[in-house]
Short mmCIF file of all heavy atoms in Angstrom, two decimals:
data_model
loop_
_atom_site.label_atom_id
_atom_site.label_comp_id
_atom_site.label_asym_id
_atom_site.label_seq_id
_atom_site.Cartn_x
_atom_site.Cartn_y
_atom_site.Cartn_z
N GLU A 84 113.58 8.00 187.60
CA GLU A 84 114.70 8.41 186.69
C GLU A 84 115.68 9.33 187.42
O GLU A 84 116.87 9.22 187.31
CB GLU A 84 114.11 9.07 185.45
CG GLU A 84 115.18 9.50 184.48
CD GLU A 84 114.56 10.11 183.21
OE1 GLU A 84 113.32 10.15 183.09
OE2 GLU A 84 115.35 10.57 182.36
N ALA A 85 115.09 10.29 188.16
CA ALA A 85 115.96 11.22 188.94
C ALA A 85 116.71 10.52 190.04
O ALA A 85 117.81 10.88 190.40
CB ALA A 85 115.12 12.34 189.49
N LEU A 86 116.12 9.46 190.57
CA LEU A 86 116.69 8.76 191.68
C LEU A 86 117.98 7.98 191.26
O LEU A 86 118.83 7.69 192.07
CB LEU A 86 115.70 7.75 192.27
CG LEU A 86 115.99 7.20 193.67
CD1 LEU A 86 115.99 8.30 194.69
CD2 LEU A 86 114.98 6.12 194.08
N ASN A 87 118.07 7.67 189.96
CA ASN A 87 119.23 6.93 189.44
C ASN A 87 120.54 7.70 189.77
O ASN A 87 121.50 7.07 190.19
CB ASN A 87 119.13 6.73 187.95
CG ASN A 87 118.08 5.69 187.56
OD1 ASN A 87 117.77 4.79 188.37
ND2 ASN A 87 117.52 5.77 186.39
N SER A 88 120.53 8.98 189.59
CA SER A 88 121.71 9.80 189.85
C SER A 88 122.01 9.78 191.36
O SER A 88 123.19 9.65 191.74
CB SER A 88 121.50 11.23 189.42
OG SER A 88 121.34 11.29 188.02
N TYR A 89 120.98 9.90 192.19
CA TYR A 89 121.18 9.87 193.61
C TYR A 89 121.74 8.53 194.07
O TYR A 89 122.68 8.49 194.91
CB TYR A 89 119.86 10.15 194.33
CG TYR A 89 119.95 10.07 195.83
CD1 TYR A 89 120.52 11.04 196.64
CD2 TYR A 89 119.46 8.92 196.48
CE1 TYR A 89 120.61 10.94 198.01
CE2 TYR A 89 119.52 8.78 197.87
CZ TYR A 89 120.10 9.82 198.61
OH TYR A 89 120.22 9.69 199.98
N ILE A 90 121.23 7.45 193.55
CA ILE A 90 121.72 6.08 193.90
C ILE A 90 123.19 5.99 193.52
O ILE A 90 124.02 5.38 194.23
CB ILE A 90 120.87 5.00 193.25
CG1 ILE A 90 119.48 4.96 193.87
CG2 ILE A 90 121.55 3.67 193.35
CD1 ILE A 90 119.45 4.59 195.37
N PHE A 91 123.55 6.52 192.37
CA PHE A 91 124.96 6.47 191.93
C PHE A 91 125.84 7.19 192.92
O PHE A 91 126.94 6.66 193.27
CB PHE A 91 125.13 7.06 190.55
CG PHE A 91 126.54 7.03 190.04
CD1 PHE A 91 127.06 5.86 189.47
CD2 PHE A 91 127.36 8.15 190.16
CE1 PHE A 91 128.37 5.87 189.00
CE2 PHE A 91 128.66 8.11 189.72
CZ PHE A 91 129.17 6.94 189.13
N LEU A 92 125.39 8.33 193.43
CA LEU A 92 126.17 9.06 194.40
C LEU A 92 126.36 8.27 195.68
O LEU A 92 127.46 8.27 196.26
CB LEU A 92 125.49 10.43 194.76
CG LEU A 92 125.35 11.45 193.62
CD1 LEU A 92 124.53 12.65 194.12
CD2 LEU A 92 126.74 11.89 193.12
N MET A 93 125.26 7.58 196.06
CA MET A 93 125.37 6.76 197.30
C MET A 93 126.25 5.56 197.11
O MET A 93 126.95 5.13 198.00
CB MET A 93 123.94 6.30 197.70
CG MET A 93 123.03 7.45 198.16
SD MET A 93 123.64 8.40 199.56
CE MET A 93 124.29 9.85 198.71
N LYS A 94 126.25 5.01 195.87
CA LYS A 94 127.13 3.89 195.57
C LYS A 94 128.64 4.29 195.67
O LYS A 94 129.47 3.54 196.17
CB LYS A 94 126.86 3.36 194.13
CG LYS A 94 125.59 2.50 194.02
CD LYS A 94 125.74 1.14 194.69
CE LYS A 94 124.55 0.26 194.44
NZ LYS A 94 124.62 -1.04 195.14
N MET A 95 128.92 5.51 195.24
CA MET A 95 130.28 6.01 195.29
C MET A 95 130.66 6.27 196.74
O MET A 95 131.82 6.09 197.11
CB MET A 95 130.43 7.28 194.49
CG MET A 95 130.30 7.14 192.98
SD MET A 95 131.66 6.17 192.26
CE MET A 95 130.84 4.57 192.11
N ARG A 96 129.67 6.68 197.53
CA ARG A 96 129.98 6.99 198.94
C ARG A 96 130.03 5.75 199.82
O ARG A 96 130.95 5.55 200.61
CB ARG A 96 128.94 7.94 199.49
CG ARG A 96 129.12 8.38 200.92
CD ARG A 96 128.08 9.34 201.31
NE ARG A 96 128.11 9.61 202.78
CZ ARG A 96 127.22 10.28 203.47
NH1 ARG A 96 126.20 10.81 202.82
NH2 ARG A 96 127.34 10.47 204.77
N PHE A 97 129.03 4.83 199.69
CA PHE A 97 128.94 3.71 200.54
C PHE A 97 129.46 2.41 199.91
O PHE A 97 129.48 1.36 200.57
CB PHE A 97 127.49 3.48 200.99
CG PHE A 97 126.95 4.58 201.89
CD1 PHE A 97 126.22 5.64 201.39
CD2 PHE A 97 127.21 4.50 203.24
CE1 PHE A 97 125.76 6.61 202.25
CE2 PHE A 97 126.73 5.46 204.11
CZ PHE A 97 125.99 6.56 203.61
N GLU A 98 129.79 2.47 198.62
CA GLU A 98 130.30 1.33 197.87
C GLU A 98 129.37 0.13 197.99
O GLU A 98 128.19 0.21 197.65
CB GLU A 98 131.71 0.99 198.33
CG GLU A 98 132.72 2.19 198.09
CD GLU A 98 134.13 1.89 198.49
OE1 GLU A 98 134.34 1.01 199.38
OE2 GLU A 98 135.04 2.53 197.95
N ASN A 99 129.90 -0.98 198.47
CA ASN A 99 129.04 -2.24 198.50
C ASN A 99 128.36 -2.45 199.84
O ASN A 99 128.22 -3.59 200.27
CB ASN A 99 129.95 -3.42 198.12
CG ASN A 99 130.54 -3.31 196.76
OD1 ASN A 99 129.86 -2.94 195.81
ND2 ASN A 99 131.78 -3.64 196.59
N SER A 100 127.95 -1.34 200.44
CA SER A 100 127.40 -1.45 201.82
C SER A 100 125.89 -1.46 201.83
O SER A 100 125.30 -1.54 202.90
CB SER A 100 127.92 -0.28 202.68
OG SER A 100 129.33 -0.30 202.81
N PHE A 101 125.28 -1.37 200.64
CA PHE A 101 123.78 -1.43 200.61
C PHE A 101 123.32 -2.07 199.33
O PHE A 101 124.09 -2.10 198.32
CB PHE A 101 123.19 -0.04 200.80
CG PHE A 101 123.31 0.88 199.62
CD1 PHE A 101 122.24 1.01 198.69
CD2 PHE A 101 124.49 1.60 199.38
CE1 PHE A 101 122.35 1.83 197.59
CE2 PHE A 101 124.59 2.44 198.25
CZ PHE A 101 123.52 2.55 197.40
N THR A 102 122.07 -2.54 199.31
CA THR A 102 121.45 -3.05 198.12
C THR A 102 120.19 -2.22 197.86
O THR A 102 119.59 -1.68 198.78
CB THR A 102 121.05 -4.56 198.25
OG1 THR A 102 120.08 -4.67 199.30
CG2 THR A 102 122.25 -5.39 198.52
N PHE A 103 119.85 -2.11 196.58
CA PHE A 103 118.69 -1.27 196.18
C PHE A 103 117.98 -1.98 195.06
O PHE A 103 118.52 -2.32 194.00
CB PHE A 103 119.17 0.09 195.74
CG PHE A 103 118.08 0.93 195.17
CD1 PHE A 103 117.08 1.47 196.01
CD2 PHE A 103 117.96 1.20 193.80
CE1 PHE A 103 116.07 2.28 195.49
CE2 PHE A 103 117.00 2.00 193.29
CZ PHE A 103 116.02 2.53 194.14
N THR A 104 116.68 -2.28 195.29
CA THR A 104 115.87 -2.93 194.28
C THR A 104 114.55 -2.26 194.06
O THR A 104 114.01 -1.62 195.03
CB THR A 104 115.60 -4.43 194.64
OG1 THR A 104 114.92 -4.49 195.96
CG2 THR A 104 116.85 -5.23 194.68
N VAL A 105 114.00 -2.36 192.85
CA VAL A 105 112.71 -1.76 192.53
C VAL A 105 111.83 -2.83 191.94
O VAL A 105 112.21 -3.48 190.93
CB VAL A 105 112.88 -0.57 191.52
CG1 VAL A 105 111.49 -0.02 191.15
CG2 VAL A 105 113.75 0.53 192.11
N ASN A 106 110.66 -3.01 192.50
CA ASN A 106 109.65 -3.94 191.96
C ASN A 106 108.50 -3.16 191.35
O ASN A 106 107.84 -2.41 192.03
CB ASN A 106 109.14 -4.84 193.09
CG ASN A 106 110.25 -5.55 193.85
OD1 ASN A 106 111.09 -6.16 193.20
ND2 ASN A 106 110.20 -5.54 195.11
N LYS A 107 108.27 -3.35 190.03
CA LYS A 107 107.24 -2.66 189.35
C LYS A 107 106.03 -3.54 189.11
O LYS A 107 105.98 -4.28 188.15
CB LYS A 107 107.77 -2.13 188.02
CG LYS A 107 108.90 -1.10 188.19
CD LYS A 107 109.39 -0.61 186.83
CE LYS A 107 110.58 0.39 187.01
NZ LYS A 107 111.10 0.88 185.70
N ILE A 108 105.05 -3.39 190.00
CA ILE A 108 103.79 -4.13 189.82
C ILE A 108 102.81 -3.33 189.00
O ILE A 108 102.16 -3.79 188.10
CB ILE A 108 103.19 -4.47 191.23
CG1 ILE A 108 104.14 -5.37 191.99
CG2 ILE A 108 101.86 -5.13 191.05
CD1 ILE A 108 103.70 -5.64 193.40
N ALA A 109 102.76 -2.00 189.31
CA ALA A 109 101.91 -1.08 188.55
C ALA A 109 102.76 -0.23 187.63
O ALA A 109 104.01 -0.17 187.78
CB ALA A 109 101.09 -0.19 189.49
N ASP A 110 102.13 0.49 186.69
CA ASP A 110 102.83 1.31 185.73
C ASP A 110 103.24 2.61 186.37
O ASP A 110 102.45 3.40 186.81
CB ASP A 110 101.89 1.61 184.54
CG ASP A 110 102.63 2.34 183.42
OD1 ASP A 110 103.80 2.77 183.60
OD2 ASP A 110 102.01 2.54 182.35
N PRO A 111 104.58 2.87 186.48
CA PRO A 111 105.05 4.15 187.16
C PRO A 111 104.69 5.39 186.37
O PRO A 111 104.66 6.46 186.96
CB PRO A 111 106.56 3.95 187.21
CG PRO A 111 106.87 2.96 186.10
CD PRO A 111 105.70 2.04 186.05
N GLU A 112 104.33 5.27 185.09
CA GLU A 112 103.97 6.45 184.28
C GLU A 112 102.57 6.95 184.67
O GLU A 112 102.26 8.10 184.49
CB GLU A 112 104.00 6.09 182.81
CG GLU A 112 105.35 5.80 182.25
CD GLU A 112 106.15 7.05 181.93
OE1 GLU A 112 105.61 8.15 182.13
OE2 GLU A 112 107.33 6.90 181.52
N LYS A 113 101.74 6.08 185.21
CA LYS A 113 100.36 6.42 185.45
C LYS A 113 100.07 6.88 186.85
O LYS A 113 98.90 7.19 187.20
CB LYS A 113 99.43 5.19 185.14
CG LYS A 113 99.49 4.82 183.67
CD LYS A 113 98.58 3.64 183.35
CE LYS A 113 98.61 3.27 181.88
NZ LYS A 113 97.71 2.14 181.55
N ASN A 114 101.04 6.89 187.73
CA ASN A 114 100.82 7.28 189.14
C ASN A 114 101.77 8.47 189.49
O ASN A 114 102.91 8.51 189.01
CB ASN A 114 101.10 6.11 190.07
CG ASN A 114 100.13 4.96 189.84
OD1 ASN A 114 98.90 5.16 189.98
ND2 ASN A 114 100.63 3.81 189.44
N SER A 115 101.21 9.35 190.30
CA SER A 115 101.96 10.54 190.67
C SER A 115 102.19 10.64 192.18
O SER A 115 101.36 10.19 192.98
CB SER A 115 101.28 11.80 190.17
OG SER A 115 101.16 11.78 188.72
N ILE A 116 103.29 11.31 192.59
CA ILE A 116 103.61 11.53 194.00
C ILE A 116 104.22 12.94 194.11
O ILE A 116 104.47 13.62 193.12
CB ILE A 116 104.58 10.49 194.56
CG1 ILE A 116 105.89 10.43 193.69
CG2 ILE A 116 103.93 9.15 194.59
CD1 ILE A 116 106.91 9.47 194.24
N ILE A 117 104.46 13.39 195.36
CA ILE A 117 105.14 14.63 195.59
C ILE A 117 106.60 14.49 195.26
O ILE A 117 107.25 13.51 195.58
CB ILE A 117 104.91 15.07 197.04
CG1 ILE A 117 103.44 15.40 197.32
CG2 ILE A 117 105.81 16.25 197.45
CD1 ILE A 117 103.12 15.71 198.78
N PRO A 118 107.17 15.53 194.58
CA PRO A 118 108.60 15.47 194.20
C PRO A 118 109.53 15.22 195.37
O PRO A 118 109.29 15.73 196.47
CB PRO A 118 108.85 16.83 193.58
CG PRO A 118 107.52 17.29 193.14
CD PRO A 118 106.54 16.78 194.14
N LEU A 119 110.56 14.46 195.13
CA LEU A 119 111.62 14.11 196.10
C LEU A 119 111.18 13.20 197.20
O LEU A 119 111.92 12.97 198.17
CB LEU A 119 112.23 15.42 196.70
CG LEU A 119 112.99 16.28 195.70
CD1 LEU A 119 113.45 17.56 196.42
CD2 LEU A 119 114.19 15.57 195.13
N THR A 120 109.96 12.65 197.06
CA THR A 120 109.51 11.70 198.08
C THR A 120 110.51 10.49 198.25
O THR A 120 110.89 10.18 199.34
CB THR A 120 108.09 11.13 197.71
OG1 THR A 120 107.15 12.17 197.84
CG2 THR A 120 107.68 9.99 198.64
#
């Protein structure tokens, strides 16, 4: 959810120079990681 804002910033900066996709095989609510990873 936090990454959405960052991706928007990158879209404004790099425009159509990159693609970004997310594949959800497992439930993201049930797994934890270190912030800003």
Side-chain angles (χ1 to χ4, degrees):
E84 183 177 355
L86 197 64
N87 287 334
S88 297
Y89 175 77
I90 290 297
F91 180 82
L92 295 176
M93 294 301 100
K94 284 288 186 184
M95 292 295 99
R96 180 179 171 188
F97 291 97
E98 297 182 336
N99 298 318
S100 298
F101 74 98
T102 62
F103 174 71
T104 56
V105 178
N106 304 313
K107 297 180 181 179
I108 298 174
D110 186 353
E112 293 281 357
K113 296 182 178 180
N114 297 299
S115 299
I116 56 177
I117 290 174
L119 294 176
T120 292

